[in-house]
Structure formats: C-alpha cells, structure tokens
Amino acid sequence: MPLRETEAIVLRTYRIGETDKVVSLFSRQFGRIRGAATGAQRPKSRYGGLLEPLTYIHLWLYEREHRELVRINSAELLESFFDMQRNYRLQLAAQYLAEVGERFLPDREVNERAFRLFLAVLRGMKWSGEAERPLLYFNLWMLKLGGFMPPVTQCTQCGRALAEDRAYYGNEAIGFVCSECRDSRYSRSVPGDVSILLDGLSHTPLDTWLHSQAAAPVVREARRPLETWIEIAAEKKLVTLEALADEA
Ligand SMILES: [Zn+2]
C-alpha cells in the first residue's frame, strides 16, 4: 500500500484498549476520515501527543483495502489550538466545531472551502480570544457550503423583507418567516436586524469583521437560529450546544 499524505484537523479521538486510538479527522485531501493510531496512548508514541482535538497536522497514512479505517503512520504539527482552550468558553466553542465537523461533513468528501473555514475560525478564535463572532461565522458558512442556507433578509413564505419585523424560526424548517406567516411551528424569534447582520457576513471575511468594532449584542442572538438549522440539516441534536448556551 502506498504511503499517502495530507493536512488534517483532528476532530475527535477515541481510546481503544490500553495503547491505541481511533482518530476522527477532517483532512484536506480526502475529506472526513477515521484512522487507527497504534500505540498513540503510550507516553512516548511517535505521534508525540499531536492527535488531540483541533490540532492542525500534516499526516502520513496508509489506506487499507476494504477497511473503513486508514492506518496513521506519523504526524507532524502544523499549528496547535491547544493553549487557547484554557479559556473555558473557547474550549466549549472548539468542542462545538469538532462536533459539527463530525456530524455535518459527509464521509470522505473533499471540501477545500470547508477546510479553509475551519482554519480561519480556529485562527480567529486564537488571536482574538473571542468565541461569539467566530462561532456565528462558522455556522453561517457551514450552512452555506452545505447548500442549506436560505435567503435571510426575506420571509421564506411570502417574501416580505424582515428588517423592520422580528424574524421567526422553529425546529422543523430552515429559514425565517415574518409575523404574518408565523404559526405554532415557528415559536422563537430574533430581531429583524439579525437578518441584516447575517446577510452582511456573506460578504465579509472573518478577520475583517474581528478587526472592526467589538461584537454587537445581536451576535449571540443571531447564532441561535443557525444552530437550530444545523441540527435540522444534520438530522441530529448537537450535544455540545447545551453547554455552550448555559455558559452564555
Ligand atoms: Zn411572511
């Protein structure tokens, strides 16, 4: 079997027995994959503690015929996001990124834009020390890149502009509706300016946004509908969301 290489972000690791690990990875060249790392739990393993969540690594691996798991041969550090996770809120945010990556990214589907999004969001959190705007940006672009993001400035039912009105959303359908069109399925709402904020983010790089003025209070409110839509699109409840909301 030929030795392959790729850049990757570690999403999650699972201990197998006393010495080994299975690692869930978002790789640049192969998409989301899982790999077996023999001896990774040993104190002096050749992976040198690099197989930890959200570490950005260069990876050498063997594909195995008819096996789902690749075999990880070795890894080299490209960038660590470990220190920033001493901040508890950033730690929760990082766990959320990893969970969405695992639930939302299709198996073995290369997605260069999503890979760059992960890096931009992790780096944004690292240098700014802020979780709120990077998280909102991540949610918005994961939905967009997955083809799930609805138009946000209009009611998805009647097309009316939402800026003046509250925008309503619910657990069953992706998209906002206006106060005229809402029914019992759309039980939650955000101010109309959330739709303007979300629309603006489609044209603003994260770094530019983080370098501008401090986060508006509406940023946190704007995240909720997107989290709900990610759960709808992934057809799964996200377990890290509760901790992230409690901490808010
Ligand atoms: Zn409407």
Side-chain angles (χ1 to χ4, degrees):
M1 298 270 155
L3 185 64
R4 316 285 297 269
E5 58 184 292
T6 180
E7 290 173 30
I9 295 163
V10 179
L11 296 176
R12 209 170 280 203
T13 65
Y14 307 85
R15 290 164 180 270
I16 304 292
E18 296 283 303
T19 56
D20 306 338
K21 272 184 182 178
V22 165
V23 189
S24 167
L25 301 149
F26 182 25
S27 73
R28 192 163 210 154
Q29 280 81 353
F30 310 106
R32 193 169 56 76
I33 52 174
R34 285 154 68 88
T38 314
Q41 288 189 60
R42 290 208 184 96
K44 283 193 176 158
S45 96
R46 60 191 150 146
Y47 312 108
L50 296 180
L51 302 179
E52 296 300 330
L54 280 329
T55 307
Y56 176 33
I57 54 181
H58 197 106
L59 196 67
W60 288 264
L61 55 88
Y62 292 101
E63 297 240 45
R64 300 187 293 182
E65 236 173 302
H66 311 302
R67 299 266 204 105
E68 190 222 338
L69 291 182
V70 302
R71 187 158 69 78
I72 298 174
N73 184 67
S74 56
E76 200 173 273
L77 179 69
L78 292 174
E79 189 169 354
S80 168
F81 299 97
F82 185 74
D83 282 353
M84 77 173 191
Q85 295 183 59
R86 271 184 268 195
N87 172 322
Y88 185 54
R89 183 137 189 89
L90 289 183
Q91 185 190 115
L92 293 176
Q95 286 166 3
Y96 175 78
L97 301 188
E99 185 182 18
V100 173
E102 277 221 302
R103 302 281 177 224
F104 200 74
L105 294 167
D107 217 18
R108 300 236 177 195
E109 207 175 289
V110 180
N111 193 331
E112 172 66 21
R113 293 182 76 193
F115 193 84
R116 280 191 272 130
L117 174 66
F118 259 85
L119 278 183
V121 168
L122 284 166
R123 286 172 175 156
M125 282 181 180
K126 185 173 163 179
W127 74 256
S128 72
E130 181 189 318
E132 299 314 317
R133 282 181 287 183
L135 279 175
L136 179 62
Y137 194 86
F138 175 76
N139 288 335
L140 179 90
W141 277 98
M142 282 301 272
L143 284 164
K144 266 183 180 294
L145 297 176
F148 292 103
M149 194 67 193
V152 284
T153 54
Q154 297 169 305
C155 169
T156 50
Q157 310 234 325
C158 72
R160 195 148 70 90
L162 290 166
E164 305 288 309
D165 198 356
R166 284 191 79 80
Y168 295 84
Y169 67 99
N171 290 327
E172 289 174 36
I174 295 176
F176 291 124
V177 295
C178 71
S179 54
E180 300 283 316
C181 297
R182 70 180 282 222
D183 57 32
S184 57
R185 291 173 301 161
Y186 298 93
S187 55
R188 287 177 282 165
S189 71
V190 287
D193 50 0
V194 162
S195 67
I196 299 169
L197 170 70
L198 294 177
D199 190 47
L201 288 186
S202 308
H203 319 289
T204 313
L206 177 60
D207 269 7
T208 310
W209 191 29
L210 288 172
H211 272 113
S212 68
Q213 70 285 29
V218 77
V219 166
R220 202 169 272 198
E221 281 190 275
R223 222 179 62 227
R224 298 287 147 75
L226 302 189
E227 291 164 350
T228 307
W229 297 344
I230 285 182
E231 286 189 323
I232 296 172
E235 297 178 352
K236 289 195 182 84
K237 283 271 161 209
L238 298 170
V239 298
T240 51
L241 260 187
E242 209 170 318
L244 206 52
D246 286 350
E247 180 64 17

